[in-house]
Amino acid sequence: MSRLNGKVALITGGAQGQGAAEAAAFVREGARVVIGDVNESAGRAVADDSSGAIEFIPLDVSQGESWRQAVDHICWRYSRLDVLVNNAALYSTGPLFEVQEESLDRMISVNLKGAFLGIRTVGPSMIDSGGGSIINISSTAGVVGHIGHSVYGMTKWGLRGLTRVAAAELSPSKIRVNCLIPGSVTGPMLGRNIPEERQRDPEYWTSTPLRRAGEPSEIAEAAVFLASDESSYVTGTDLIVDGGVTSVR
């Protein structure tokens, strides 16, 4: 398997869930993978389980200096950076009138500012490498209005706008920027709203055309496509992987 052979990838929020699944899929396809996360114990466990195929670095995506240190390290160690997956995110729900300002600021800082800082920091290194692929992980909450998702949805809608602007600005440098939009995906984030025992219960997913939640590995396969040269003519767009939910809303 060599769809990403020779590429160096940085995946944020890689300590669990979709980020860890993306890291495993990228390694399988021949990439050298670095995962960044604020959860050092979980991140190091993912790296240890990979038998050296994945490297972990501490990364707080909301802090510009943390980004600079991470990218400097990658460029020193690997001499290039070809793929960035802006996967790190915070998730919480609640009525709009009950959202606290501190929660608002924190979610914007991680979900939206974090991606902005990432694009701005990796850009020069990708230009030096001759181009690259940036994948921003949005959500169906960034496509339709989900009740109780005012702040989370706002950040995910904003991420789609950032994707389009970055794609337009960076295309002359052969850097592609796309948005991957998962629907409900089994794992710890979904578990905040849906008990684990119900996440794979078909009776719960009657409003989803495929009658189930997605698996992290399925989102990872879409990320592989956007990271690979197979998507060389794809930029500034959304790739929706949601079991058909947005097609019927």
Side-chain angles (χ1 to χ4, degrees):
M1 307 293 280
S2 58
R3 295 161 71 194
L4 302 178
N5 212 28
K7 296 185 185 295
V8 177
L10 170 59
I11 300 172
T12 70
Q16 61 181 348
Q18 290 179 45
E22 289 156 2
F26 279 33
V27 166
R28 184 199 69 216
E29 295 296 337
R32 289 171 288 180
V33 177
V34 180
I35 58 172
D37 208 296
V38 293
N39 189 335
E40 293 197 29
S41 59
R44 295 191 190 283
V46 170
D48 290 344
D49 289 344
S50 75
S51 300
I54 297 171
E55 180 182 2
F56 169 78
I57 55 174
L59 174 58
D60 180 347
V61 298
S62 69
Q63 301 297 318
E65 181 57 29
S66 186
W67 271 108
R68 285 187 288 273
Q69 291 177 5
V71 173
D72 285 349
H73 169 78
I74 292 169
C75 292
W76 167 78
R77 183 174 175 89
Y78 301 102
S79 301
R80 62 186 299 119
L81 179 55
D82 305 285
V83 181
L84 168 66
V85 183
N86 279 314
N87 174 78
L90 296 178
Y91 176 73
S92 64
T93 62
L96 188 151
F97 289 166
E98 296 180 10
V99 175
Q100 299 298 310
E101 187 173 354
E102 181 180 359
S103 175
L104 168 73
D105 290 344
R106 180 61 179 155
M107 196 174 296
I108 292 173
S109 184
V110 172
N111 296 10
L112 190 53
K113 178 186 173 185
F116 174 87
L117 292 175
I119 294 170
R120 190 171 68 175
T121 308
V122 306
S125 300
M126 285 190 174
I127 293 172
D128 290 343
S129 299
S133 174
I134 297 172
I135 304 165
N136 296 322
I137 308 297
S138 182
S139 164
T140 54
V143 178
V144 297
H146 291 319
I147 292 174
H149 288 68
S150 58
V151 181
Y152 182 76
M154 176 172 64
T155 63
K156 295 303 185 178
W157 277 92
L159 199 54
R160 293 176 63 214
L162 174 62
T163 296
R164 283 153 176 75
V165 173
E169 291 193 12
L170 298 177
S171 59
S173 299
K174 299 182 180 179
I175 297 174
R176 298 182 296 106
V177 189
N178 289 290
C179 213
L180 178 53
I181 302 179
S184 297
V185 179
T186 60
M189 186 175 287
L190 186 62
R192 297 185 182 183
N193 287 336
I194 302 173
E196 186 174 350
E197 61 271 15
R198 299 216 65 185
Q199 289 186 20
R200 292 182 174 84
D201 179 2
E203 296 302 317
Y204 188 86
W205 301 102
T206 55
S207 62
T208 301
L210 288 184
R211 297 296 191 272
R212 64 180 179 86
E215 297 293 337
S217 60
E218 293 175 304
I219 309 306
E221 293 305 320
V224 167
F225 167 71
L226 291 176
S228 75
D229 294 339
E230 295 169 6
S231 59
S232 59
Y233 200 52
V234 180
T235 194
T237 194
D238 298 327
L239 176 55
I240 300 177
V241 187
D242 69 348
V245 169
T246 54
S247 70
V248 295
R249 293 195 62 151

